Amino acid sequence: MIPLTGNKDIRAWLFAIARNTLYSWYRRNNKTIPLSDFDVSSPEQSVIQMITDSQTAFSIHEILHAMPQPYKEVFTLRVFGELSFEQIGRLFGKSSGWARVVFFRAKNMIREQLEEKDDE
């Protein structure tokens, strides 16, 4: 048994157990997970999916151009350079967690500015 030190979030551990239990049940019962159970047409598109639309891609590039550092560079390295968070963190002399947070904030900045443009 893994000892709990108090500095980890137990929810992640419990979710992993639940997910693996579900997968095991489906394997044991020779079942597949139907795609209809998942809402693949979520109203909140991810920023990466939006890049495939050329007009939206141009808008994202405009937003990126005006975005402050390090958000601009971390987002660019992650999406266009396809670097891992670990690699991005090493480039900046920071942790992979730092890179994740900066990337998440950059995505939120882009999403907010795109929503503002849509409202106009």
Side-chain angles (χ1 to χ4, degrees):
M1 175 143 208
I2 300 172
L4 295 176
T5 59
N7 61 353
K8 302 288 182 187
D9 188 3
I10 195 167
R11 289 178 293 175
W13 181 68
L14 291 173
F15 286 130
I17 291 172
R19 181 189 66 231
N20 291 333
T21 303
L22 175 69
Y23 292 159
S24 296
W25 183 85
Y26 274 105
R27 268 194 309 274
R28 266 193 320 270
N29 294 303
N30 202 15
K31 303 222 183 234
T32 58
I33 301 173
L35 288 177
S36 61
D37 288 352
F38 299 100
D39 184 17
V40 293
S41 61
S42 170
E44 179 184 311
Q45 285 183 319
S46 75
V47 174
I48 296 170
Q49 289 171 335
M50 288 181 196
I51 290 174
T52 58
D53 176 28
S54 63
Q55 183 177 5
T56 307
F58 183 73
S59 296
I60 290 172
H61 283 292
E62 285 180 322
I63 294 167
L64 271 173
H65 183 70
M67 189 179 285
Q69 292 293 351
Y71 304 103
K72 177 194 312 191
E73 190 168 357
V74 169
F75 185 85
T76 303
L77 290 171
R78 178 68 179 165
V79 174
F80 302 113
E82 298 180 358
L83 295 181
S84 69
F85 290 119
E86 182 75 30
Q87 293 169 320
I88 294 170
R90 269 190 271 142
L91 280 174
F92 283 89
K94 308 275 186 175
S95 69
S96 62
W98 174 87
R100 280 184 180 84
V101 169
V102 172
F103 179 73
F104 177 78
R105 290 177 181 167
K107 278 195 324 184
N108 284 343
M109 285 181 206
I110 292 170
R111 186 175 291 125
E112 288 169 5
Q113 290 186 28
L114 285 173
E115 287 172 358
E116 287 175 11
K117 281 186 177 185
D118 287 342
D119 291 341
E120 291 177 355

